[in-house]
């Protein structure tokens, strides 16, 4: 990489008429070595030109500056001034720091796949699929992906790659008045970090507990067990299972890991679990040393964290398919119930699932794409990564439901009775219990919970990198040289914000954040993002940008999606959430009405950045209200259009 201040010197030596031929022969004899980096070309024989990397890096400045000495050719010829010899030294100084780039294309692809494929693919998609008609759910899911999710995914990758900015500073190139969207995205990312990493701390607790000859969630003789605990192993056919019975895995999760029974609810969370606090500290330590140096380091880490889960899923799929009763789970998973297509809940769940699975609107895709080469084919990347994400969700369903069918076979119950647990409980109770019944249970437990941790780490790397890129691009003179310290401070803030999720009632806090703090807010933010890009910045201008990058103009399908279908897709999710608010409960605890108000307040606290910045921008602009409004929706020229030419010596 070149240093921050790149000094490019062009010396034009102009002699009298008698020395002109000699000077020209000397020039032709020199070997020209060129080096191009970040859109600038340095000619080592003393002549400097500029080759733009993007259309925002225009060559006009270089030509005009050098043209004063060398004529219209722009600095490669020699102009003889009347009189004696004269030496003119023109020095070009770029104050922009060369942007970091991915070491390899696969670093970027694995990072995006690792971000998109998270814990929700493993527990949320299989549950939503069987709840909404099994195989029939795939039809609305694919339709929502094609017309809503993938176009949004493609749009964000193209925006980030063209403007090469994070989610805050990018808005001055699109529509300055919407800059509050970037700040809202950063706050939402912090809220996610407050609760999402706690789930990995639970998985780490399970992982540590797996290094025992007997898994602790297989027996009812532990100090945390109750009289209702029934050890229901494959050999215990004489054990009767009733509605009041609880499995060892359920009691281990609720009474030992979470210790929910020690909390009365959100109004009395209880003390912090020191075991979980240490587990979360270890998780954040891994996160810090993976992202503190930027995409150069995180791009290497994802080679493990993004590929290992696929290896484990394949192993678990093969093992699950050989279990007795596995076919019952697969049939329950895929058997279509076409009547469900007439229910609005199926379409609402399909839209929400594809949106949160692909993850536009969190600033991550903008950040990752901004480190790509300018002419990288982000169109192909969008199609490949989104397809991998959807296929992974579908594959995870087989991994989960082969085991659920096995559990139903063991308990002599229907699959739907076994699959009543949703969310993390599906992994930490049902799947953990199934693993305990397998031969080599310790091995399968270790690789399974390692997979859960790595799925979560990828998403955490991505979410925090979105915030880091946004802040470094917005405040480069303050933070660029202090990246390590800024990342350390950010991780500390995330850890302190997560302390409430480590209490005995922390699972209730996690549920509250998951339902209210992020979902509605981020959907609204993405809706405004699409409106700003398609209607204010303009679809034609955006498509021209894509053509400059990729060499082809986006087709009619993509333009229609960006202008009309995607906004309708997002409005559909928002209105469905408002009309059918989720009934929030966890285990036997029903969230009281005041928690709904609290949840909406947390969600609004991030979204309020958008109107607040609009007011701030209009108040600080100059001119009449009409002039201020016009300026606030007019994209600002990029600083890369300006190059400073300083005449340091003229004789």
């Amino acid at each position: 990489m070149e240093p921050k201040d790149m000094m490019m010197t062009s010396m034009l030596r102009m002699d009298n008429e008698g020395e002109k031929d000699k000077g020209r022969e000397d020039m032709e004899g020199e070997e020209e070595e060129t080096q191009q980096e970040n859109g600038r070309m340095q000619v080592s024989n003393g002549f400097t030109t500029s080759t733009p990397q993007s259309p925002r890096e225009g060559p006009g400045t270089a030509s005009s500056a050098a043209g004063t000495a060398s004529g219209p050719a722009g600095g490669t010829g020699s102009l003889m001034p009347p009189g004696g010899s004269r030496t003119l030294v023109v020095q070009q100084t770029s104050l922009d720091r060369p942007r970091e780039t991915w070491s390899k294309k696969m670093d970027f692809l694995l990072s995006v796949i690792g971000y998109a494929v998270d814990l929700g693919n493993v527990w949320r998609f299989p549950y939503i699929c069987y709840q909404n008609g099994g195989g029939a759910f795939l039809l609305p899911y694919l339709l929502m992906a094609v017309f809503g999710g993938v176009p949004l995914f493609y749009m964000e990758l193209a925006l980030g790659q063209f403007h090469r900015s994070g989610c805050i500073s990018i808005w001055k190139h699109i529509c300055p008045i919407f800059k509050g969207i970037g700040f809202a995205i950063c706050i939402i990312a912090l809220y996610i970090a407050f609760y999402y990493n706690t789930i990995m701390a639970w998985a780490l607790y399970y992982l540590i507990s797996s290094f025992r000859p007997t898994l602790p969630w297989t027996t009812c003789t532990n100090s945390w067990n109750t009289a209702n605990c029934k050890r229901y192993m494959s050999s215990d056919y004489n054990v009767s299972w009733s509605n009041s019975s609880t499995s060892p895995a359920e009691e281990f999760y609720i009474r030992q890991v979470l210790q929910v029974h020690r909390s009365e609810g959100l109004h009395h969370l209880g003390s912090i679990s020191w075991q979980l606090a240490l587990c979360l500290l270890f998780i954040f330590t891994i996160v810090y040393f993976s992202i503190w140096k930027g995409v150069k380091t995180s791009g290497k880490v994802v080679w493990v964290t993004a590929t290992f889960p696929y290896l484990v899923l394949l192993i678990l799929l093969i093992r699950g398919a050989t279990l007795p009763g596995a076919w019952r789970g697969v049939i329950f998973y895929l058997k279509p119930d076409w009547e469900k297509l007439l229910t609005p809940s199926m379409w609402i769940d399909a839209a929400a699932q594809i949106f949160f699975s692909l993850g536009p609107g969190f600033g991550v895709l903008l950040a990752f794409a901004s480190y790509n080469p300018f002419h990288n084919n982000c169109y192909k990347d969008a199609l490949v990564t989104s397809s991998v994400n959807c296929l992974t969700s579908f594959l995870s369903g087989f991994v989960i439901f082969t085991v659920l069918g096995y559990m139903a076979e063991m308990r002599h119950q229907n699959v739907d009775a076994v699959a009543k647990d949703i969310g993390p409980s599906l992994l930490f109770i049902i799947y953990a219990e199934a693993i305990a019944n397998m031969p080599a249970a310790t091995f399968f437990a270790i690789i399974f919970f390692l997979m859960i941790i790595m799925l979560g780490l990828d998403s955490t790397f991505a979410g925090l990198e979105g915030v880091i890129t946004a802040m470094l691009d917005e405040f480069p003179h303050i933070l660029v040289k202090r990246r390590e310290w800024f990342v350390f401070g950010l991780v500390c803030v995330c850890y302190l914000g997560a302390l409430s999720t480590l209490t005995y009632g922390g699972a209730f806090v996690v549920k509250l954040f998951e339902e209210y703090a992020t979902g509605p807010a981020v959907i609204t933010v993405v809706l405004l993002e699409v409106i700003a890009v398609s209607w204010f910045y303009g679809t034609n201008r955006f498509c021209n940008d894509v053509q400059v990058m990729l060499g082809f103009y986006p087709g009619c399908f993509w333009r229609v999606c960006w202008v009309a279908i995607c906004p309708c897709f997002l409005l559909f999710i928002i209105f469905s959430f408002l009309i059918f608010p989720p009934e929030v409960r966890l285990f036997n605890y029903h969230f009281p009405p005041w928690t709904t108000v609290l949840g909406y307040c947390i969600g609004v606290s991030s979204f309020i950045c958008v109107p607040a910045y609009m007011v701030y921008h209009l108040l600080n602009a100059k001119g009449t209200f009409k002039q201020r409004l016009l300026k606030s929706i007019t994209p600002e020229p990029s600083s890369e259009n300006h190059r400073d030419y300083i005449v340091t010596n003229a004789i």
Side-chain angles (χ1 to χ4, degrees):
M1 297 297 293
E2 296 288 339
K4 178 181 179 182
D5 295 327
M6 185 186 300
M7 308 299 295
M8 303 175 68
T9 305
S10 175
M11 176 175 292
L12 304 176
R13 181 173 183 84
M14 292 164 282
D15 299 325
N16 56 25
E17 190 68 23
E19 298 175 347
K20 180 177 179 181
D21 294 338
K22 180 180 179 181
R24 183 173 299 169
E25 291 173 359
D26 292 338
M27 265 200 318
E28 293 174 350
E30 292 178 356
E31 179 182 359
E32 296 186 1
E33 298 176 357
T34 62
Q35 177 181 3
Q36 183 174 358
E37 183 173 17
N38 294 319
R40 299 175 180 88
M41 182 177 290
Q42 179 176 353
V43 184
S44 62
N45 67 352
F47 298 98
T48 306
T49 185
S50 174
T51 56
Q53 185 181 19
S54 74
R56 299 184 294 114
E57 298 181 4
T61 314
S63 300
S64 61
T68 60
S70 56
T76 56
S78 60
L79 179 65
M80 281 303 304
S85 63
R86 180 175 297 176
T87 301
L88 177 66
V89 178
V90 181
Q91 175 177 290
Q92 179 188 13
T93 303
S94 173
L95 299 179
D96 294 334
R97 181 185 180 90
R99 191 167 188 83
E100 188 178 13
T101 56
W102 299 97
S103 299
K104 297 179 181 178
K105 175 67 175 287
M106 280 302 297
D107 292 358
F108 166 71
L109 291 177
L110 289 176
S111 296
V112 174
I113 291 173
Y115 160 68
V117 178
D118 64 349
L119 298 175
N121 293 74
V122 178
W123 79 54
R124 189 180 293 117
F125 178 84
Y127 173 78
I128 290 178
C129 186
Y130 90 78
Q131 190 183 44
N132 289 282
F137 176 76
L138 298 178
L139 177 61
Y141 178 77
L142 291 177
L143 288 176
M144 292 297 179
V146 170
F147 291 100
V150 177
L152 290 172
F153 198 86
Y154 176 27
M155 184 188 74
E156 284 214 347
L157 287 181
L159 283 173
Q161 184 169 303
F162 183 83
H163 296 287
R164 305 178 68 80
S165 300
C167 62
I168 297 178
S169 57
I170 193 174
W171 288 103
K172 65 184 178 183
H173 307 307
I174 299 175
C175 190
I177 199 172
F178 283 98
K179 191 175 181 178
I181 290 177
F183 292 104
I185 289 174
C186 291
I187 295 176
I188 292 171
L190 287 179
Y191 287 159
I192 295 174
F194 289 168
Y195 77 87
Y196 190 81
N197 296 280
T198 300
I199 300 175
M200 284 187 284
W202 300 344
L204 180 59
Y205 191 102
Y206 268 86
L207 178 63
I208 296 173
S209 302
S210 300
F211 288 94
R212 300 181 185 180
T214 302
L215 298 177
W217 57 87
T218 59
T219 62
C220 291
T221 58
N222 303 289
S223 59
W224 58 81
N225 292 124
T226 65
N228 292 326
C229 180
K230 296 291 181 66
R231 184 176 180 271
Y232 207 74
M233 301 293 285
S234 56
S235 57
D236 298 327
Y237 292 107
N238 58 337
V239 176
S240 60
W241 186 267
S242 63
N243 292 332
S244 61
S245 300
T246 56
S247 66
E250 182 178 355
E251 293 200 349
F252 177 78
Y253 176 59
I254 295 176
R255 299 179 62 86
Q256 175 63 12
V257 179
L258 304 181
Q259 303 183 63
V260 174
H261 63 288
R262 297 190 178 187
S263 171
E264 300 176 8
L266 281 171
H267 63 284
H268 188 273
L269 295 175
S271 304
I272 294 176
S273 170
W274 65 268
Q275 297 97 328
L276 292 181
L278 290 178
C279 289
L280 186 62
L281 180 63
F282 182 75
I283 292 294
F284 272 120
T285 302
I286 296 176
V287 170
Y288 174 72
F289 286 107
S290 299
I291 64 175
W292 69 324
K293 292 291 186 182
V295 295
K296 294 290 186 182
T297 55
S298 63
K300 297 297 181 290
V301 176
V302 294
W303 280 82
V304 176
T305 58
T307 57
F308 180 78
Y310 284 96
L311 176 62
V312 177
L313 284 175
L314 181 61
I315 294 173
L316 293 177
L317 177 62
I318 296 173
R319 184 66 187 99
T322 61
L323 294 173
W327 62 272
R328 293 177 57 187
V330 173
I331 292 175
F332 187 81
Y333 173 46
L334 294 180
K335 184 179 180 180
D337 183 1
W338 301 109
E339 294 182 359
K340 288 275 190 177
L341 291 173
L342 303 177
T343 60
S345 61
M346 170 184 278
W347 297 88
I348 294 171
D349 288 342
Q353 173 61 27
I354 193 63
F355 175 83
F356 289 109
S357 180
L358 292 177
F362 292 92
V364 174
L365 301 177
L366 291 173
F368 281 172
S370 71
Y371 299 114
N372 275 334
F374 182 75
H375 295 291
N376 173 66
N377 192 343
C378 59
Y379 170 71
K380 181 180 178 181
D381 295 343
L383 295 181
V384 169
T385 52
S386 56
S387 299
V388 169
N389 175 72
C390 295
L391 290 175
T392 304
S393 298
F394 188 62
L395 173 67
S396 299
F398 288 97
V399 174
I400 295 296
F401 274 92
T402 52
V403 171
L404 292 180
Y406 167 61
M407 294 295 294
E409 185 83 7
M410 283 176 47
R411 294 184 178 179
H412 306 288
Q413 293 178 320
N414 294 326
V415 179
D416 56 349
V418 176
K420 66 181 185 300
D421 292 306
I422 62 175
S425 300
L426 185 64
L427 303 180
F428 293 113
I429 297 178
I430 300 299
Y431 213 93
E433 184 177 0
I435 287 176
N437 285 272
M438 298 179 184
T442 299
F443 167 75
F444 285 108
I446 290 173
I447 64 171
F448 176 73
F449 291 113
L450 265 178
M451 179 191 74
I452 297 300
I453 293 172
M454 291 189 179
L455 284 172
L457 283 175
D458 286 334
S459 298
T460 297
F461 295 161
L464 293 184
E465 186 60 51
V467 177
I468 295 166
T469 299
M471 299 303 291
L472 264 61
D473 287 345
E474 181 66 13
F475 309 104
H477 302 295
I478 301 175
L479 299 178
V480 166
K481 291 184 177 180
R482 303 174 179 87
R483 177 188 170 99
E484 292 85 354
W485 287 105
F486 173 71
V487 175
F488 179 77
L490 179 64
V491 170
C492 289
V493 169
C494 293
Y495 183 80
L496 294 176
L499 289 179
S500 62
T501 65
L502 303 177
T503 59
Y504 298 143
F508 304 136
V509 180
V510 170
K511 187 69 174 178
L512 182 70
F513 271 106
E514 184 181 12
E515 294 291 342
Y516 291 107
T518 57
V522 76
I523 296 173
T524 307
V525 162
V526 176
L527 174 63
L528 293 178
E529 178 183 319
V530 174
I531 291 174
V533 173
S534 300
W535 299 357
F536 287 85
Y537 186 70
T539 305
N540 290 335
R541 181 186 295 178
F542 175 59
C543 291
N544 288 333
D545 295 344
V546 175
Q547 186 177 28
V548 170
M549 279 195 307
L550 307 184
F552 58 86
Y553 199 81
C556 180
F557 167 77
W558 299 106
R559 299 198 301 272
V560 172
C561 285
W562 291 326
V563 172
I565 297 179
C566 287
C568 293
F569 166 76
L570 295 168
L571 281 173
F572 174 71
I573 303 177
I574 293 172
F575 283 128
S576 65
F577 184 87
L578 296 176
I579 297 173
F580 307 103
E583 179 187 359
V584 185
R585 68 180 184 88
L586 184 64
F587 307 125
N588 295 322
Y589 177 73
H590 289 266
F591 285 62
W594 64 267
T595 59
T596 302
V597 178
L598 176 62
Y600 279 118
C601 289
I602 297 174
V604 171
S605 66
S606 59
F607 177 73
I608 199 67
C609 293
V610 180
Y613 185 83
M614 288 180 175
V615 174
Y616 167 80
H617 188 80
L618 290 174
L619 291 178
N620 283 271
K622 297 180 180 180
T624 64
F625 179 77
K626 183 179 180 179
Q627 292 172 335
R628 295 181 183 186
L629 189 61
L630 182 61
K631 184 179 179 181
S632 65
I633 62 175
T634 303
E636 299 178 6
S638 171
S639 61
E640 294 177 6
N641 283 331
H642 305 290
R643 286 188 170 85
D644 302 324
Y645 282 82
I646 307 169
V647 179
T648 58
N649 187 21
I651 303 175

